[in-house]
Amino acid sequence: MDALSVDGLVKSDHVHNPGRSRGRSVEEELEGFLRVYKDGSVERFSCVVSDVPASEAPQEPVASKDLLMDSRTALWARFYLPRKAVSPLGSRLPLLIYFHGGGFVLGSPAWSIYHVFICRLASETNCLVVSVGYRLAPEHRLPVAYDDCFTAVEWIRRQAEQKLQRSQDSWLSSYADFSRCFLAGDSAGGNIAHHVALRCARLDVKPLEMRGVILLQPFFGGEKVETGDPNLSWRWMDVFWKLSLPVGAKRVDHPACNPLTEALHDVSLPPVIVCISERDVLKERNMEYYHALTNAGKKASYVIFKDVGHAFQVLNPRSQRIRDLINVLYDFINESSPCTR
C-alpha cells in the first residue's frame, strides 16, 4: 500500500516523537507506516491509519465485536453480523473467514479502511464475517501468519463442535452455517488464504465444510522488479518480503512467495476465485496462479476489474468497482459447490 491518502480515511498528519529514534540506526522504513531499527525494535505509526472500535449499535446495518481466540499469542478477530440476520425467521448465514492485507507487516481488522470494507461485505453478501488479527512481521516472520490464521480456523471448528461450552460464541452458534464456510483475503491476506486452504485440505476441519476460497489481488512474489501501480511500488514489495520471510530465505523458491513450488495435484481444494485488478503490478502473477490451479485440475475462475489498482476495495472506498466486486463475491458464495479434485 504505497499511498498515504485514502479518500479521507487515512490521516495525513504523520506525527511521531523524534526523540525516540534519535541516535538509533534505522534498517528499513515505510514512510508514514513503519520503522524497523537495527537493534530489532519496531515502530508502527497509529497516527497514519485510524483504528476504529467494534460496535453493536442498533442503528448500524452490521453489528461488530472483538473476541480473543488465543491468550498465549494474543490472536483475536473482529466478528461482523448483518442486522437483517437477527430475526426469528432468519436462516443461517455463510461463514466468511477473512485475512487482511499489509505485506504481512502492517494492517489490522481494526483499521478503518478494513472495517468499512468488511462491514459492507458482510451486509451486501449477507455473510457472518470473521476478520482475523494475526501477528505481524518482522517480530513474527512467516509462517507465523499462516499458523495464526489456521489456529483461527481451528478455534471456529471447535465452536462448531460445541466442545467449548463456556466460551461458545453466540453469534456463531445462532447464525453461522458451518457447512458453508469460505476463506478470503486481500493482498497478503489472499496469500494467507491460499496457504490456509492447503492446510484445511490436508487436515480434518470437520464439521466445517470449506465451500470456496476468495483471493483478492493475492500477494505472491519473486525476484522480478515491477512498476506501474501507484498503490503498490516495487520498493514496498521488496521491503515486505525482506521483513516477512524467514531469515536467509530466497524469494524465488520459497512457497510463501511462489505458491507454484508446491504440488497442487494431490490436494483437494474447494472452488477458488481470483479477483485481479487491471492496473495491479501483481496482475500477471495472479494469472499465473489461476492457470496453475486449472492445470492441476482444480475448479477455479478469475475476474479482472478494469481501471483499478492493487487493493482498490480498501484504498479507494469510493470506487465504483467495489459494487462490481461484491456482486461477483455474492454470486460465488451462493453458487459454490463442495470440494472437488
Side-chain angles (χ1 to χ4, degrees):
M1 297 183 302
D2 202 10
L4 300 183
S5 179
V6 186
D7 290 351
L9 288 176
V10 176
K11 297 180 180 178
S12 59
D13 54 337
H14 175 205
V15 179
H16 66 281
N17 182 357
R20 295 186 62 186
S21 57
R22 185 177 297 128
R24 300 165 66 192
S25 298
V26 176
E27 180 178 354
E28 291 291 349
E29 182 167 6
L30 297 175
E31 180 62 32
F33 284 90
L34 177 78
R35 184 179 294 129
V36 180
Y37 296 96
K38 290 185 178 180
D39 63 8
S41 58
V42 178
E43 281 184 294
R44 289 183 176 84
F45 308 125
S46 60
C47 60
V48 176
V49 180
S50 303
D51 281 0
V52 295
S55 174
E56 296 189 54
Q59 70 272 17
E60 297 179 0
V62 175
S64 59
K65 65 180 179 181
D66 296 337
L67 289 178
L68 183 67
M69 291 178 161
D70 187 334
S71 59
R72 179 182 61 86
T73 62
L75 175 66
W76 68 285
R78 179 161 292 182
F79 288 61
Y80 296 83
L81 179 68
R83 285 288 179 188
K84 55 189 173 183
V86 187
S87 165
L89 301 178
S91 59
R92 288 186 174 269
L93 306 181
L95 177 61
L96 182 65
I97 305 173
Y98 195 92
F99 311 121
H100 66 78
F104 305 105
V105 305
L106 300 169
S108 166
W111 270 17
S112 57
I113 54 178
Y114 275 106
H115 183 79
V116 169
F117 173 65
I118 300 297
C119 278
R120 181 173 179 181
L121 181 66
S123 176
E124 297 184 21
T125 62
N126 201 31
C127 288
L128 196 165
V129 181
V130 179
S131 181
V132 180
Y134 55 89
R135 286 174 289 175
L136 301 175
E139 303 96 318
H140 306 283
R141 291 177 177 265
L142 293 172
V144 170
Y146 302 150
D147 296 339
D148 280 357
C149 291
F150 184 74
T151 296
V153 173
E154 280 284 285
W155 185 91
I156 294 170
R157 181 188 64 79
R158 292 195 299 271
Q159 305 305 309
E161 286 183 332
Q162 297 184 351
K163 288 183 177 179
L164 302 178
Q165 296 293 338
R166 293 183 180 178
S167 61
Q168 179 99 14
D169 177 63
S170 60
W171 286 7
L172 288 175
S173 61
S174 299
Y175 303 109
D177 184 349
F178 296 112
S179 70
R180 289 189 294 160
C181 187
F182 295 82
L183 300 175
D186 68 278
S187 194
N191 180 308
I192 293 170
H194 161 79
H195 286 279
V196 173
L198 290 181
R199 293 195 190 186
C200 290
R202 291 168 177 153
L203 300 170
D204 184 9
V205 294
K206 293 180 179 178
L208 298 183
E209 293 184 29
M210 294 298 171
R211 293 300 185 96
V213 184
I214 298 166
L215 306 185
L216 311 181
Q217 310 101 16
F219 182 58
F220 299 127
E223 298 291 349
K224 182 180 178 182
V225 173
E226 301 176 69
T227 59
D229 184 346
N231 288 350
L232 183 65
S233 72
W234 68 266
R235 178 181 173 275
W236 279 53
M237 289 191 292
D238 190 56
V239 172
F240 285 157
W241 288 121
K242 177 180 178 180
L243 296 180
S244 63
L245 285 177
V247 175
K250 301 296 184 182
R251 285 164 57 175
V252 68
D253 59 0
H254 195 283
C257 291
N258 185 2
L260 308 188
T261 61
E262 294 184 301
L264 296 173
H265 290 83
D266 61 347
V267 62
S268 294
L269 286 173
V272 178
I273 186 168
V274 187
C275 297
I276 303 170
S277 295
E278 184 181 42
R279 297 182 180 177
D280 192 349
V281 296
L282 299 177
K283 175 182 175 180
E284 295 305 320
R285 294 183 187 183
N286 290 175
M287 286 300 303
E288 288 175 2
Y289 172 78
Y290 159 75
H291 288 301
L293 289 174
T294 57
N295 290 339
K298 308 308 171 188
K299 185 175 182 180
S301 59
Y302 74 91
V303 180
I304 297 178
F305 296 89
K306 294 184 179 296
D307 301 320
V308 287
H310 188 76
F312 71 92
Q313 65 280 354
V314 292
L315 293 180
N316 305 104
R318 294 190 180 95
S319 170
Q320 296 301 311
R321 291 287 179 258
I322 298 177
R323 161 57 57 191
D324 300 332
L325 171 64
I326 290 181
N327 286 342
V328 167
L329 300 188
Y330 178 89
D331 291 341
F332 178 77
I333 291 167
N334 285 281
E335 295 173 4
S336 289
S337 58
C339 296
T340 58
R341 272 202 181 271

